[in-house]
Amino acid sequence: MSIGHSIRLRRKSLNITLQILANQIGADAGNLSRIERGELGINENMLRKIAEALNCTPAYLYAQSDMPKTALSVQEHRQPYLTTLSQVPSKNNTSNIKDFVQWFRSVAPYIHAFGGRTFVIAFGGEVVDEKQFIALSHDLNLLASLEVRLVLVHGARPQIEKRLRRDKLSPKFVNGLRVTDDAAMEAVKEANGAIRVEIEALLSMGLVNSPMAGSDIRVASGNFVTAKPMGVRNGIDLQHTGEVRRVDAIGIQKRLDDNELVLLSPLGYSPTGEAFNLSLEDVAVSAAVALDADKLIFLMDSEGVHNLRGELLREMTAGKAKNLLRNVEGNEQAINISEDINYYLPAAVRACEHGVARTHLISRHIDGAIIQELFTLDGIGTMVTELSLESMRQANIDDVGGILKLIEPLEAEGFLVRRGREHIEMEIEHFYVMEHDNRIIGCAALYPFDAERTAEFACLAIDPAYRGGGRGDKLFYYCASQAKELGFKSLFCLTTRTEHWFLERGFTEQNVEKLPAEKQKLYNFQRKSKVFSKTL
């Protein structure tokens, strides 16, 4: 269920009309209606306003959106709950067990891929302040058990703000940067120390019959970050506000080699013995780059990056991310871009440009968000990469298994002529594959007939999970360009089910007699495939 439906149920339970809610938060009732129907995305600021008007928290609304619709009437006014071991399918629930087994098998490639890799996971102080770290610790324990090397970077903004209010001090900011004077620095130190102790305590849990049972997570923290002062910006001395100069990658690697989890606070130290207040994003990106991390993960308020139409972007390159940020800058109509995105998306771009392979932006409000993002095909947030995850190339012998997996269902349905493994292995040099994040999702073949300077286009198959995005076209035109480079003047194909697909791409129907002589000898008159050709 969507967050919009969760908002609607909460609003209805309080007998608040759309117009009243719109007036309370200064929004358009029509846009609110679209949000509730799931037709328009919602940014962090809007969600906070709505939650306040509905007398609840954003975390509550996200928790409700995770629940089955049948449970909402009972759970509507309850606090968010944690997933427990009792939710594992029981012996008697056969359908759930089958789903569980299928899912567990599907994550096997990820388990193999993640072992021994380094992940940097960054989250704001809100995760600790709003008691969300308990659920997060369960996911961290799971990753640690899979031998993932973990580096955590925590923020402390809400905790610092509380201490400043307690001491009756007013926070000062310049272009989003805190001016950290001596009094504010004391609050920064106190807040970071308290958060560090709480995180270490929660990671030490080992309760029986809980996800932390049997866990042995040792936490290492220290002066791994060297910093320097930011100095004067726009005529304002930022004082103890600094930026990362260097991360002690060797020191961190030693702790990781000892199977310890490394915890970094947004604090840095100078060779002169000074401490500096740093930003969460700066520490996280600098650590990920220094460690050559495989993944950098930001937990934030919004579910991911939305485009200007409010659509969630599952994947984007660093170049597309920069274009989006340029279009958003100064655009007051860009209501789908949350404050979090303005902080974390530039950080993701910087990480990708400095060699971090994947940066994930996901919601902190969704229980198990990291697990869902890392161990499902589509994920639940936004992944930023330096280059596109999709590529096309000539196949090699290692691709035979992936090709067979694609074409066997189509052979069973009669769309393709049956080919065995041995047949594919013998003809592998004629195949081309499309990859998505190193996974084969498409294939096609070009069989040359040199005497007639033509080639047969055959065996086109796209993974069902990736159909509908124009990938068949991309693979066809890639093969056509390869055929042209090889000196062929035309392509032909034989089909029994997809004639319109080829007609729409410029092929024309031909008689069997128009086939190359060698192909005519192999033509199956029982199958009665139609012949189509296209001049290159």
Side-chain angles (χ1 to χ4, degrees):
M1 186 182 64
S2 69
I3 186 70
H5 191 67
S6 174
I7 291 170
R8 182 175 182 275
L9 287 176
R10 178 67 178 175
R11 178 177 61 78
K12 289 283 190 181
S13 71
L14 298 175
N15 294 319
I16 297 175
T17 66
L18 266 176
Q19 191 58 58
I20 291 175
L21 180 59
N23 293 339
Q24 286 180 342
I25 65 175
D28 179 73
N31 283 340
L32 285 180
S33 178
R34 293 173 63 200
I35 288 172
E36 289 188 354
R37 296 195 305 270
E39 297 174 359
L40 182 66
I42 182 170
N43 63 32
E44 173 200 350
N45 292 333
M46 177 72 76
L47 182 59
R48 287 185 182 278
K49 289 180 181 179
I50 291 174
E52 185 177 353
L54 298 179
N55 194 28
C56 63
T57 64
Y60 172 84
L61 294 173
Y62 273 108
Q64 299 305 301
S65 69
D66 282 342
M67 294 182 189
K69 291 183 179 180
T70 55
L72 283 171
S73 58
V74 178
Q75 298 283 356
E76 193 160 316
H77 297 290
R78 296 182 183 175
Q79 292 299 315
Y81 60 95
L82 295 176
T83 301
T84 65
L85 293 177
S86 63
Q87 290 174 287
V88 174
S90 64
K91 292 181 182 178
N92 298 326
N93 197 332
T94 308
S95 60
N96 280 0
I97 287 176
K98 289 182 179 178
D99 290 341
F100 175 75
V101 170
Q102 185 176 0
W103 172 84
F104 204 75
R105 287 171 176 165
S106 72
V107 304
Y110 301 105
I111 293 174
H112 292 306
F114 293 160
R117 302 299 180 93
T118 300
F119 293 0
V120 176
I121 301 175
F123 51 90
E126 296 85 357
V127 170
V128 177
D129 200 38
E130 298 178 15
K131 309 302 180 185
Q132 295 174 327
F133 190 81
I134 297 174
L136 177 60
S137 67
H138 300 164
D139 297 344
L140 298 176
N141 181 41
L142 175 58
L143 291 175
S145 70
L146 298 176
E147 299 183 350
V148 176
R149 297 153 65 92
L150 296 174
V151 177
L152 302 187
V153 184
H154 71 80
R157 178 168 289 195
Q159 289 84 356
I160 294 171
E161 297 295 333
K162 285 182 180 179
R163 284 160 174 78
L164 291 177
R165 288 195 298 271
R166 179 199 63 190
D167 298 336
K168 298 180 180 179
L169 299 172
S170 300
K172 302 173 186 176
F173 292 90
V174 176
N175 294 332
L177 297 171
R178 185 187 297 278
V179 178
T180 314
D181 56 21
D182 292 340
M185 192 63 196
E186 290 304 314
V188 169
K189 292 177 182 177
E190 183 183 342
N192 279 287
I195 293 174
R196 181 179 297 179
V197 169
E198 185 167 355
I199 289 175
E200 290 178 353
L202 292 172
L203 288 173
S204 300
M205 290 191 302
L207 295 174
V208 179
N209 294 329
S210 80
M212 295 297 286
S215 67
D216 184 23
I217 299 178
R218 290 177 293 163
V219 183
S221 56
N223 57 341
F224 295 115
V225 180
T226 303
K228 60 183 178 181
M230 278 195 169
V232 178
R233 299 289 176 96
N234 296 328
I236 304 295
D237 186 358
L238 298 177
Q239 300 185 48
H240 298 290
T241 298
E243 57 187 340
V244 176
R245 175 182 288 177
R246 184 177 64 85
V247 173
D248 182 9
I250 295 176
I252 294 175
Q253 293 284 12
K254 287 180 179 177
R255 304 305 193 282
L256 297 175
D257 290 341
D258 289 336
N259 298 319
E260 295 182 0
L261 180 152
V262 175
L263 177 63
L264 300 180
S265 298
L267 288 172
Y269 309 94
S270 73
T272 59
E274 293 180 87
F276 291 99
N277 180 29
L278 308 176
S279 72
L280 162 69
E281 307 87 65
D282 190 16
V283 176
V285 172
S286 299
V289 172
L291 295 168
D292 193 22
D294 297 277
K295 289 185 182 292
L296 169 59
I297 301 171
F298 285 110
L299 295 173
M300 56 186 193
D301 280 309
S302 53
E303 60 181 338
V305 181
H306 294 83
N307 60 21
L308 297 180
R309 296 188 299 275
E311 300 164 338
L312 178 63
L313 303 172
R314 295 295 186 189
E315 298 169 4
M316 63 192 313
T317 63
K320 289 183 178 179
K322 287 194 286 188
N323 287 337
L324 178 62
L325 290 169
R326 277 195 294 267
N327 292 331
V328 167
E329 189 175 1
N331 184 356
E332 297 180 357
Q333 302 300 317
I335 64 171
N336 301 305
I337 306 300
S338 68
E339 183 181 2
D340 267 4
I341 299 304
N342 288 325
Y343 284 119
Y344 294 138
L345 191 54
V349 171
R350 178 186 158 202
C352 288
E353 291 180 340
H354 286 80
V356 179
R358 308 278 188 271
T359 299
H360 301 260
L361 307 177
I362 59 179
S363 172
R364 66 181 176 90
H365 298 293
I366 300 175
D367 187 27
I370 289 180
I371 302 303
Q372 293 183 60
E373 176 69 11
L374 297 180
F375 293 95
T376 59
L377 188 61
D378 294 326
I380 60 167
T382 300
M383 180 166 64
V384 183
T385 60
E386 183 180 5
L387 301 172
S388 174
L389 292 178
E390 290 188 0
S391 61
M392 289 173 285
R393 59 173 174 80
Q394 190 169 17
N396 58 55
I397 196 66
D398 295 329
D399 299 321
V400 171
I403 292 172
L404 284 171
K405 186 176 179 181
L406 289 175
I407 66 176
E408 283 176 346
L410 296 176
E411 291 174 349
E413 294 178 24
F415 283 94
L416 297 177
V417 176
R418 290 190 177 276
R419 297 170 172 85
R421 175 178 288 271
E422 186 177 346
H423 190 101
I424 298 294
E425 289 177 353
M426 292 175 59
E427 299 180 343
I428 193 65
E429 74 273 10
H430 299 311
F431 277 81
Y432 296 86
V433 294
M434 173 182 282
E435 287 184 312
H436 183 279
D437 202 12
N438 300 317
R439 178 173 179 264
I440 294 177
I441 64 167
C443 69
L446 284 177
Y447 294 105
F449 292 86
D450 295 322
E452 293 85 355
R453 298 181 70 183
T454 188
E456 180 185 6
F457 179 72
C459 207
L460 175 64
I462 301 294
D463 188 311
Y466 292 89
R467 290 174 189 167
R471 291 180 175 86
D473 277 324
K474 291 178 183 178
L475 190 51
F476 164 68
Y477 287 114
Y478 176 79
C479 290
S481 68
Q482 295 298 307
K484 199 170 183 179
E485 285 184 17
L486 293 170
F488 296 113
K489 297 299 183 181
S490 64
L491 292 178
F492 72 90
C493 66
L494 280 72
T495 181
T496 58
R497 304 277 191 92
T498 56
E499 58 182 284
H500 284 280
W501 193 90
F502 288 102
L503 289 172
E504 290 166 4
R505 283 148 189 82
F507 282 78
T508 57
E509 188 171 359
Q510 304 289 340
N511 294 324
V512 175
E513 292 75 19
K514 294 289 185 179
L515 290 173
E518 186 179 348
K519 184 66 179 179
Q520 287 186 46
K521 295 177 184 178
L522 300 174
Y523 182 80
N524 186 339
F525 283 94
Q526 289 185 332
R527 186 173 170 84
K528 293 183 179 179
S529 300
K530 292 187 177 182
V531 178
F532 295 88
S533 69
K534 175 183 174 69
T535 302
L536 295 175

